[in-house]
Amino acid sequence: MLALLGYLMILVFMILIMTGRLSAMIALIVVPIVFALIGGFGSEMGPMALEGIKSVAPTGIMILFAILFFGILIDAGVFDPIIRTILKLVKGDPVKIAIGTAVLALLISLDGDGTTTYMITISAMLPLYKRIGMKPLILAGIAVSASGVMNLLPWGGPTARVMTALNLEMSDVFTPVIPAMIGGILFVLFMAFVLGRKERKRIGVIEFDYKIAAQHAAAVEDAHLKRPKLIVFNYVLTVVLLVALIMELLPSAVLFMIGFAIAITINYPKMSDQKERVANYADNALSVISMIFAAGIFTGILSGTEMVDAMANSLIKHIPDAMGSHFAVITAIISAPFTFFMSNDAFYYGVLPLLAKAGAAYGIDPALIGRASLFGLPVHLLSPLVPSTYLLVGMVGEDFGKLQGSFLKWACGSTIVMMVVAVVLGIIPL
């Protein structure tokens, strides 16, 4: 009964946001509350929702200060040289622009943080997309696809969760998966090429002076906000912050808070300028943070009612014994929908140990199950439960449902390519 209720709740939620009947934020709040009441959890609903909100609070704080930190750097002109270089290379050809977007997003994703990837990639490329008439949705889709593949990096989160949940080493999980990850990267570049060709067919190659375009591409046109004399300091600060994030010297929320405090104090020492800059980012920050806390209610009720556990158990029980020898591939397949409908913590700490135990019954090493569980990550990033994706759609001014409708098939393609490479090379057994 709980499993059925969970499936219905997710189905109703997806229909409502993909058809535009409700905004994602309202649906994240209303739908789980309605289904909690239907399931008879009315008296427990409040604590469940509050627990969910607490669980996303660190992420919400991190994203808030990441928006502020990168906003300061954008205003100070830190990314203007990157914009100019990209414009010089890709000029007005949509194919080159799309591939350039993918390369930029893949490189920035090396830090393992989707928020950083989106902030820098969108800030650098959105003015160019608008300048020549390319669809901003394509920019968002390429960025999220690149991040989905690069999220396999050990410091990205999911791989670390696999190692923790199954008590494995990086050499057991991540190192063997690198060839499959390369396959996913090549697929993202192919996707960018295909989308770029469609845009070139639609709008053609736009001839323009890239130097003039670079001026338009600057995130902030007010010259008094630029800090060219501080560009080296700002680059060093950014690198230090990214290294600290990768090394996990402090919690990411704390690191971004410290980084923001340093950046705004050095670049804009006047109190009046600081207030103006923070107010300038308030609209974007509020829309993103409110969505994150709404998602906390959804995940809190989904987990608190144990609908997630019931859904996982119902799926595992329905796997025929004859399919036991293919359990690694089965794990790879179901990792996509499971990580789409639940948080990474819920899947990797709650469901993955169950899958590993089930696989062990068929003689499959837990390390193989752990590797297989990572291939659904491209699909996971299009989940309405991923906070950074709301930042992405907010920055490009697009609808979350449109992003899902346009790029879920490409995300599934990334997953399939990585699975095929993994099977062919023996990374996971067929």
Side-chain angles (χ1 to χ4, degrees):
M1 180 61 187
L2 275 178
L4 178 61
L5 199 64
Y7 287 126
L8 284 174
M9 182 174 84
I10 291 167
L11 180 63
V12 169
F13 172 78
M14 294 304 300
I15 290 173
L16 287 173
I17 66 167
M18 294 189 77
T19 58
R21 300 292 180 87
L22 285 179
S23 68
M25 183 176 70
I26 301 303
L28 284 167
I29 297 171
V30 173
V31 172
I33 289 175
V34 170
F35 275 85
L37 292 172
I38 292 173
F41 296 99
S43 60
E44 308 163 55
M45 184 173 62
M48 290 177 187
L50 189 59
E51 191 63 33
I53 292 171
K54 288 179 181 178
S55 70
V56 300
T59 302
I61 295 169
M62 184 269 288
I63 289 181
L64 170 62
F65 282 93
I67 292 172
L68 294 174
F69 175 76
F70 284 107
I72 293 296
L73 298 187
I74 291 165
D75 287 354
V78 169
F79 300 110
D80 290 354
I82 297 174
I83 295 170
R84 286 193 292 269
T85 302
I86 293 171
L87 285 170
K88 185 177 181 179
L89 293 174
V90 305
K91 299 191 184 298
D93 186 349
V95 174
K96 293 180 180 178
I97 291 170
I99 294 174
T101 302
V103 171
L104 179 63
L106 288 165
L107 289 174
I108 298 172
S109 292
L110 286 170
D111 80 321
D113 179 45
T115 302
T116 306
T117 301
Y118 302 149
M119 289 290 295
I120 297 176
T121 303
I122 304 307
S123 298
M125 299 303 293
L126 184 59
L128 176 57
Y129 273 67
K130 290 182 176 180
R131 170 69 176 80
I132 72 168
M134 288 180 69
K135 297 175 181 176
L137 187 65
I138 290 176
L139 170 58
I142 293 174
V144 76
S145 299
S147 186
V149 173
M150 298 300 286
N151 205 25
L152 272 74
L153 291 167
W155 51 86
T159 302
R161 289 180 176 90
V162 171
M163 293 187 290
T164 302
L166 301 182
N167 195 25
L168 299 170
E169 299 295 328
M170 190 170 78
S171 58
D172 299 320
V173 181
F174 174 69
T175 306
V177 169
I178 291 176
M181 188 174 169
I182 293 172
I185 290 171
L186 294 175
F187 181 80
V188 170
L189 293 172
F190 168 74
M191 178 197 75
F193 172 76
V194 172
L195 294 173
R197 284 193 65 181
K198 287 183 179 179
E199 285 295 272
R200 186 165 65 184
K201 186 177 180 180
R202 184 176 68 86
I203 62 176
V205 177
I206 309 299
E207 298 294 337
F208 64 96
D209 186 336
Y210 82 87
K211 292 181 180 178
I212 296 175
Q215 295 173 3
H216 289 288
V220 178
E221 295 181 359
D222 299 296
H224 72 280
L225 293 175
K226 303 298 182 183
R227 297 293 184 266
K229 293 181 179 179
L230 292 172
I231 194 164
V232 174
F233 167 81
N234 285 324
Y235 277 132
V236 171
L237 177 61
T238 303
V239 171
V240 170
L241 176 61
L242 295 181
V243 170
L245 287 167
I246 292 170
M247 296 179 65
E248 298 182 350
L249 297 181
L250 290 172
S252 57
V254 176
L255 287 172
F256 271 113
M257 292 173 79
I258 295 171
F260 163 69
I262 295 172
I264 197 169
T265 302
I266 299 299
N267 286 280
Y268 305 104
K270 293 182 180 179
M271 288 288 292
S272 57
D273 289 341
Q274 292 180 9
K275 290 179 180 179
E276 181 185 342
R277 291 299 87 217
V278 172
N280 185 62
Y281 318 127
D283 183 47
N284 185 34
L286 179 61
S287 63
V288 173
I289 302 305
S290 60
M291 195 77 74
I292 291 170
F293 286 112
I297 293 178
F298 190 97
T299 55
I301 290 177
L302 194 64
S303 301
T305 57
E306 297 186 349
M307 291 182 194
V308 166
D309 297 331
M311 291 163 66
N313 290 326
S314 70
L315 185 59
I316 293 171
K317 287 178 181 177
H318 285 84
I319 296 175
D321 289 340
M323 298 292 290
S325 60
H326 308 293
F327 207 79
V329 173
I330 292 172
T331 298
I333 293 171
I334 66 174
S335 69
F338 264 61
T339 54
F340 185 85
F341 293 131
M342 64 180 70
S343 68
N344 274 337
D345 286 337
F347 177 72
Y348 289 109
Y349 293 134
V351 177
L352 182 59
L354 297 177
L355 295 173
K357 287 179 183 178
Y362 298 107
I364 299 176
D365 192 308
L368 300 176
I369 299 297
R371 296 174 199 169
S373 70
L374 294 171
F375 297 137
L377 290 176
V379 176
H380 166 71
L381 285 192
L382 286 171
S383 166
L385 304 179
V386 178
S388 61
T389 311
Y390 292 110
L391 170 65
L392 174 64
V393 293
M395 290 188 72
V396 298
E398 288 290 346
D399 181 70
F400 196 101
K402 284 186 179 180
L403 180 67
Q404 288 180 322
S406 299
F407 284 92
L408 263 177
K409 59 180 180 291
W410 289 108
C412 291
S414 295
T415 293
I416 292 169
V417 166
M418 289 195 291
M419 283 174 51
V420 170
V421 172
V423 170
V424 170
L425 298 182
I427 297 169
I428 61 172
L430 180 62

